[in-house]
């Protein structure tokens, strides 16, 4: 039963990449040693994310860090009989040790959304946390690939970029805003409406990671299923944009999208690890420094490789509805980017 469950999780992770090229399985050949650090590992996203990363055989060392409670999480996860060695770190004095030698740093640290809160409401608290953590990353593991989950991602990624620039360590190819949850939702919602197997679905999601800045490109969804009406496409788009709010309201003040976000974070981290290991044709959507629009940061399909971003892919052909959505999101996304830059330089 245990072996069957692990195989099932591996299969899901492999299927969840937006590239449908058949790839070698996790266990077909030895993987290089890779250290992954989770900052905020004792939180609502951090704990299930720590579990999923422990199950990933591409990870040889798993460092779990938080301001409190991490030793218990690390002890719990460490009992799982998979490859990685797990260590827990707690408090400012252990942050450097948690980060040293990291290949991938995943940052879900921060406070969660509560009913009535937008991602932007989280800014004042989470921006300070991200700025502090990125200052430490610049010092202890400046060459690591950074997976930013802490909201509002539209602002925290620019904050991280500014911190790294000040430290002289900025590499735009290695800084990612994790927008995979938007892709996961778009695939799930589309499959339900189009009547296709969700495991086979790919839907690009571009723009940003909040409200109307999330733009799923359902016209490019594969495989094609039932012909969806304009009304259905509009409803699917809005549901994808409001997916986080849907979960916050359903949890009635007792949480936000933690489990699905942990899954999405694990999927994207897995893609980054494959890219670092030289596996070809790894393509995921992510919020990165970009020139495909006039905005300095933008989410689109990205080809991953040994240096992080190998190529930022274009938007492809858009419908009139999608073109309008693109224009509608630009001012809000630009404002969020500027807010992050201003905070980082204050």
């Amino acid at each position: 039963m245990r072996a069957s469950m692990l195989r099932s999780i591996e299969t899901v992770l492999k299927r969840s990449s937006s590239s449908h090229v058949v790839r070698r399985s996790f266990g077909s050949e030895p993987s290089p040693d890779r250290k992954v650090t989770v900052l905020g590992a004792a939180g609502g996203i951090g704990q299930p994310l720590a579990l999923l990363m422990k199950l990933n055989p591409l990870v040889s060392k798993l460092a779990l860090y938080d301001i409190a409670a991490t030793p218990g999480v690390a002890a719990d996860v460490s009992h799982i009989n998979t490859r990685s060695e797990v260590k827990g770190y707690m408090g400012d004095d252990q942050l450097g040790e948690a980060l040293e030698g990291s290949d991938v740093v995943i940052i879900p640290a921060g406070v969660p959304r509560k009913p009535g809160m937008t991602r932007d409401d989280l800014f004042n608290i989470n921006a300070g946390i991200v700025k502090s953590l990125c200052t430490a990353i610049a010092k202890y593991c400046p060459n690591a690939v950074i997976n930013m989950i802490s909201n509002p991602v539209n602002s925290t990624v620019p904050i991280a970029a500014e911190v790294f620039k000040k430290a002289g360590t900025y590499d735009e190819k290695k800084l990612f805003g994790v927008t995979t949850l938007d892709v996961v939702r778009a695939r799930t919602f589309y499959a339900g409406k189009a009547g296709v197997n969700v495991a086979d679905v790919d839907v690009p999601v571009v723009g940003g990671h909040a409200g109307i800045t999330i733009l799923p490109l359902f016209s490019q969804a594969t495989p094609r299923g039932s012909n969806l009406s304009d009304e259905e496409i509009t409803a699917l788009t809005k549901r994808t944009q409001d997916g986080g709010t849907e979960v916050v309201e359903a949890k009635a003040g007792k949480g936000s999208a933690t489990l699905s976000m942990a899954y999405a974070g694990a999927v994207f981290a897995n893609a980054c690890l494959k890219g670092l290991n030289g596996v070809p044709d790894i393509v995921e959507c992510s919020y990165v420094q970009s020139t495909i629009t006039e905005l300095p940061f933008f989410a689109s399909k990205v080809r991953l490789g040994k240096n992080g971003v190998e190529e930022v892919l274009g938007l492809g052909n858009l419908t009139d509805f999608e073109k309008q959505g693109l224009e509608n999101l630009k001012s809000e996304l630009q404002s969020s980017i500027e807010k992050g830059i201003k905070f980082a330089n204050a």
Side-chain angles (χ1 to χ4, degrees), residues 123 127-128 130-132 134-135 155-166 337-346:
F123 180 84
V130 166
K131 187 174 181 180
S132 176
C134 288
T135 300
S155 298
T156 55
V157 169
I159 289 171
E162 292 301 307
V163 170
F164 296 147
K165 286 176 185 176
K166 284 184 180 180
I337 293 168
E338 290 173 354
K339 188 172 184 178
I341 293 172
K342 182 179 179 181
F343 178 89
N345 292 320

Side-chain angles (χ1 to χ4, degrees), residues 195-229:
V196 293
N197 184 352
V198 69
D200 298 328
V201 170
D202 181 30
V203 181
V205 181
V206 304
H209 184 57
I212 66 165
T213 71
I214 300 168
L215 181 60
L217 304 182
F218 289 112
S219 68
Q220 298 178 25
T222 57
R224 303 305 299 173
S226 305
N227 288 327
L228 301 181
S229 66

Side-chain angles (χ1 to χ4, degrees), residues 52-308:
L52 291 169
M53 297 316 298
K54 181 68 172 90
L55 297 178
N56 190 324
L58 299 181
V59 181
S60 57
K61 291 184 179 180
L62 182 59
L64 305 179
Y65 173 84
D66 214 318
I67 57 173
T70 338
V73 176
D76 194 357
V77 172
S78 72
H79 292 179
I80 297 170
N81 60 320
T82 55
R83 177 190 181 197
S84 55
E85 173 190 349
V86 182
K87 289 188 178 180
Y89 302 89
M90 186 172 68
D92 292 343
D93 57 333
Q94 294 186 358
L95 178 55
E97 188 180 353
L99 290 170
E100 283 178 348
S102 296
D103 295 287
V104 177
V105 178
I106 313 173
I107 311 178
V111 298
R113 290 176 69 194
K114 296 186 172 82
M117 291 177 72
T118 66
R119 287 182 176 90
D120 205 48
D121 292 331
L122 306 178
F123 180 84
N124 289 330
I125 298 173
N126 288 358
I129 293 171
V130 166
K131 187 174 181 180
S132 176
L133 293 175
C134 288
T135 300
I137 289 168
K139 181 177 180 180
Y140 293 106
C141 57
N143 297 316
V145 168
I146 311 304
N147 289 185
M148 183 68 69
I149 293 174
S150 302
N151 272 319
V153 167
N154 291 352
S155 298
T156 55
V157 169
I159 289 171
E162 292 301 307
V163 170
F164 296 147
K165 286 176 185 176
K166 284 184 180 180
T169 65
Y170 182 50
D171 183 349
E172 68 273 13
K173 294 182 178 181
K174 293 187 174 181
L175 176 59
F176 298 91
V178 179
T179 60
T180 312
L181 182 52
D182 302 325
V183 177
V184 167
R185 286 172 172 152
R187 288 171 174 169
T188 302
F189 303 157
Y190 172 83
K193 279 291 183 183
V196 293
N197 184 352
V198 69
D200 298 328
V201 170
D202 181 30
V203 181
V205 181
V206 304
H209 184 57
I212 66 165
T213 71
I214 300 168
L215 181 60
L217 304 182
F218 289 112
S219 68
Q220 298 178 25
T222 57
R224 303 305 299 173
S226 305
N227 288 327
L228 301 181
S229 66
D230 291 345
E231 291 76 16
E232 287 172 319
I233 292 295
T234 300
L236 283 175
T237 299
K238 181 165 177 49
R239 190 180 180 198
T240 303
Q241 292 171 339
D242 294 342
T245 301
E246 183 178 316
V247 175
V248 168
E249 292 177 351
K251 289 189 174 182
K254 296 182 179 179
S256 58
T258 54
L259 300 175
S260 53
M261 184 63 250
Y263 166 75
V267 167
F268 188 74
N270 181 61
C272 288
L273 289 165
K274 285 184 172 183
L276 290 175
N277 291 349
V279 178
D281 299 312
I282 304 297
V283 177
E284 293 287 341
C285 290
S286 183
Y287 181 65
V288 298
Q289 182 171 310
S290 174
T291 58
I292 64 171
T293 71
E294 64 271 28
L295 298 168
F297 294 91
F298 196 83
S300 66
K301 283 187 173 183
V302 174
R303 191 180 310 281
L304 302 170
K306 292 183 177 181
N307 298 308

Side-chain angles (χ1 to χ4, degrees), residues 23-32 57-58 83 274 277-280:
R23 305 186 186 96
R24 57 176 79 97
S25 66
F26 281 134
S28 61
E29 60 184 60
S31 298
L58 299 181
R83 177 190 181 197
K274 285 184 172 183
N277 291 349
V279 178

